Amino acid sequence: MASLKEIAAQTGVSYSLVSKVLSGRMGTTGVSAKTREAVLKKARELDYQPNRLAVALKSGRRGAIAVFIHGIGLPGSDLSSNFLLGLSGAFENSDLRLWLRFFQKDEEFRAACTPKLTRDVDGLIIAGIAHRGLIADLKALEKKGLPVVSVFCTLPNNRSPLNIATDYRAQCYLATKHLIELGCERIAHFHVLGMRYAGYAEALHEAGRSVQRRLVIRSAGFDLEDGSLAVRKLLENGEKFDGIVAQSDAQAIGAIRELQRHGLRVPEDVKVTGVDDSPLARICEVPVTSATAEMDVCGRVAVETLKEKIEGKKVEPIVIRPRLVVRASTVV
């Protein structure tokens, strides 16, 4: 890649003049149109590209973004790794440096928020499991002049700090609507997160149905055993159901295995959906229809939004719309 010195040597003008012409910051320096055009022509011939990190440093920026992550998702869900893939893709064509930290407790985040953080980076992305106890800390960082963007999965539409998240409500809304369109009459739901339950209820009401409380099983978590236990409760209670909207792919797989142990076929007798569109959904003995988590999109959008915020542009909270990937667990 050509340097300013090479352009200066080949055009016979000073290094400082080349720098001023190519940056557009001439100030009071006078230069003839002929000389200016010669410099620009030689820069094009040599395919000169400005060093964006150097430009950032000259503007008073550090050329770095900090990213703090509390990993999300069960092993095998790939949610955190997908987020990092989206994040790294957004950095691919940028000279920005990445300051990456992992944390699990509020105290770990606070311990890393030393004066060095605000001195060495231009902005902060905090992502993964929501830490509501850190909201005041993040607001305080912004008051000190450090732009912050969060990707807290359960804080959609949050403005301070500005939050980016996948629409959890839409995940179970899309799954429930899909089962209704396939003709399911009694759709069970494994309830962990209220936002996903709200999507399930919304799809039923939209179809002119009410939530049947006996078909909503409160679940302790998102794991295989949680899905298996929920199916056992339904069967022990003598409930009839022809569809299940689980809140994770692991729950859905546990449900499918429990149904099979009781001689029920998927999808012929019971259709099952999950959430996250993880590798687990694809490798299950009955591949699972699943709503996407869009964590790669969240990572990319977080970087793009933080860049705009650093530049002083107006930004708004962003909710990423999921998709439903249909597989054999709902369609024969």
Side-chain angles (χ1 to χ4, degrees):
M1 183 182 294
S3 67
L4 295 177
K5 288 182 179 179
E6 288 177 85
I7 297 170
Q10 293 191 35
T11 54
V13 300
S14 69
Y15 171 91
S16 62
L17 182 60
V18 170
S19 176
K20 289 177 180 179
V21 168
L22 295 182
S23 68
R25 294 194 295 270
M26 295 299 299
T28 59
T29 303
V31 62
S32 69
K34 183 178 178 180
T35 299
R36 180 178 180 278
E37 183 54 38
V39 170
L40 293 174
K41 181 180 179 182
K42 185 56 66 175
R44 289 193 295 269
E45 288 175 359
L46 297 177
D47 192 28
Y48 169 73
Q49 299 293 327
N51 185 318
R52 283 172 282 186
L53 177 56
V55 172
L57 291 172
K58 284 181 180 178
S59 68
R61 295 179 187 158
R62 291 83 169 175
I65 290 175
V67 179
F68 284 75
I69 301 175
H70 183 170
I72 59 170
L74 298 170
S77 69
D78 280 3
L79 296 185
S80 291
S81 59
N82 284 343
F83 174 76
L84 289 172
L85 283 172
L87 197 77
S88 62
F91 274 89
E92 195 169 291
N93 298 315
S94 169
D95 286 325
L96 286 169
R97 292 170 291 125
L98 178 63
W99 217 65
L100 181 63
R101 297 287 187 275
F102 291 91
F103 76 105
Q104 290 186 322
K105 298 178 180 179
D106 289 4
E107 292 73 22
E108 293 172 336
F109 175 83
R110 291 184 181 120
C113 287
T114 62
K116 181 177 173 59
L117 174 68
T118 53
R119 186 174 65 244
D120 289 356
V121 302
D122 297 313
L124 166 68
I125 295 171
I126 182 168
I129 293 175
H131 283 246
R132 295 174 188 273
L134 291 178
I135 299 299
D137 299 79
L138 298 175
K139 289 180 179 179
L141 285 173
E142 291 206 299
K143 285 184 178 179
K144 292 178 181 178
L146 184 69
V148 177
V149 169
S150 65
V151 190
F152 281 154
C153 297
T154 54
L155 290 179
N157 299 320
N158 204 58
R159 290 182 174 274
S160 185
L162 183 138
N163 197 59
I164 294 165
T166 303
D167 189 342
Y168 272 32
R169 183 185 184 102
Q171 288 172 325
C172 285
Y173 168 83
L174 291 173
T176 307
K177 184 177 180 180
H178 173 64
L179 295 184
I180 292 170
E181 290 172 348
L182 291 175
C184 292
E185 296 290 338
R186 294 179 59 81
I187 302 171
H189 180 62
F190 303 162
H191 187 334
V192 185
L193 291 176
M195 294 167 66
R196 287 179 176 156
Y197 168 77
Y200 160 78
E202 180 183 352
L204 289 175
H205 289 309
E206 192 176 87
R209 305 184 188 183
S210 59
V211 173
Q212 299 179 58
R213 297 295 176 185
R214 291 177 62 86
L215 295 181
V216 177
I217 303 298
R218 289 275 181 177
S219 182
F222 299 100
D223 218 332
L224 288 165
E225 184 54 34
D226 296 308
S228 177
L229 179 61
V231 168
R232 287 203 298 273
K233 287 181 179 178
L234 287 168
L235 295 175
E236 288 168 3
N237 292 339
E239 298 297 334
K240 301 294 183 183
F241 55 96
D242 53 8
I244 291 174
V245 174
Q247 288 201 6
S248 74
D249 292 335
Q251 272 189 350
I253 293 168
I256 289 170
R257 292 177 178 175
E258 192 67 29
L259 290 167
Q260 290 174 332
R261 279 195 285 268
H262 286 82
L264 293 167
R265 300 168 301 164
V266 177
E268 293 86 351
D269 299 320
V270 182
K271 304 182 191 305
V272 181
T273 68
V275 170
D276 290 337
D277 187 34
S278 66
L280 297 173
R282 297 190 285 275
I283 66 174
C284 179
E285 56 268 30
V286 181
V288 179
T289 291
S290 184
T292 59
E294 302 293 338
M295 290 307 297
D296 56 334
V297 178
C298 287
R300 174 176 54 79
V301 172
V303 174
E304 293 170 353
T305 303
L306 184 59
K307 284 181 181 177
E308 292 181 351
K309 200 169 183 180
I310 290 169
E311 292 168 4
K313 297 179 182 178
K314 184 178 180 180
V315 291
E316 296 289 339
I318 299 173
V319 178
I320 309 297
R321 182 75 175 178
R323 298 168 290 110
L324 189 71
V325 180
V326 177
R327 299 191 177 92
S329 67
T330 60
V331 177
V332 180

